Amino acid sequence: MSVQTPTTTLRPPLHRVSRTAIWYWTVRACLGWLVLIGGQVAWMVASGGDQRTLRISALGVTAVLAAAHVIVMPRWRYHVHRWETTPEAVYTLSGWFKQEWRIAPVSRIQTVDSERGPLEQLFRLANVTVTTASAAGPIKIGGLDRATADRIVHELTASAQATAGDAT
């Protein structure tokens, strides 16, 4: 009689991140673009009349790119970002231009962490980082609501402790 062991295969994860992540990504992108636009405006004011048309044109192009980025990127990322945890593995799909699809067996988990930056705290979001014995680096699940992140940390920690092996 043979014993079958569960297999982990690369497949689309089931769960989306929090819808609030759309607003978080939007605000974060706006802040970055405002710094660039502010620098362009300061440069335009400080330089006086030299090449004013060129600088106004550059500012216009920057504003159009910023608007496109702020409108498209957060929704696209929300559409792509997925995660799932099972007793056997952690699955993630993330990115927007460059997309990364990862799987980590629970038996390879070394640490599970949760973090919240200042802006994420404002939106009541959290990230979970699963460190494994992989050369590819940790698996990150961003844009989770706090309760979900706390639950994932608890479940993965319990699963990793219950799994035989030393995660190397």
Side-chain angles (χ1 to χ4, degrees):
M1 177 186 244
S2 67
V3 177
Q4 287 188 334
T5 58
T7 59
T8 53
T9 58
L10 195 58
R11 62 179 177 74
L14 294 177
H15 308 291
R16 288 188 188 267
V17 297
S18 171
R19 282 196 66 80
T20 307
I22 295 172
W23 292 106
Y24 165 72
W25 290 323
T26 301
V27 168
R28 199 172 85 180
C30 283
L31 292 173
W33 283 108
L34 285 174
V35 168
L36 180 60
I37 289 171
Q40 282 184 306
V41 168
W43 177 49
M44 192 167 38
V45 169
S47 65
D50 293 348
Q51 300 177 338
R52 188 173 188 91
T53 304
L54 179 63
R55 290 193 177 100
I56 290 173
S57 296
L59 184 60
V61 169
T62 301
V64 168
L65 290 174
H69 180 248
V70 166
I71 291 168
V72 173
M73 178 274 297
R75 287 153 192 81
W76 190 342
R77 282 183 74 174
Y78 179 76
H79 178 73
V80 170
H81 281 222
R82 307 243 183 209
W83 65 274
E84 181 181 357
T85 61
T86 68
E88 294 82 32
V90 178
Y91 300 85
T92 62
L93 175 59
S94 61
W96 64 292
F97 269 138
K98 178 185 172 200
Q99 295 178 8
E100 182 179 54
W101 204 350
R102 304 255 326 255
I103 180 174
V106 168
S107 63
R108 304 284 286 177
I109 293 175
Q110 293 177 329
T111 62
V112 182
D113 302 303
S114 178
E115 68 177 355
R116 301 172 185 102
L119 193 56
E120 290 159 324
Q121 289 180 43
L122 182 67
F123 285 93
R124 297 189 174 144
L125 295 174
N127 303 304
V128 172
T129 302
V130 180
T131 305
T132 66
S134 168
I139 290 181
K140 296 186 179 193
I141 308 170
L144 299 171
D145 65 79
R146 286 181 186 175
T148 301
D150 291 344
R151 181 179 53 80
I152 290 170
V153 168
H154 176 74
E155 288 174 2
L156 287 177
T157 301
S159 292
Q161 287 176 345
T163 302
D166 63 357
T168 59

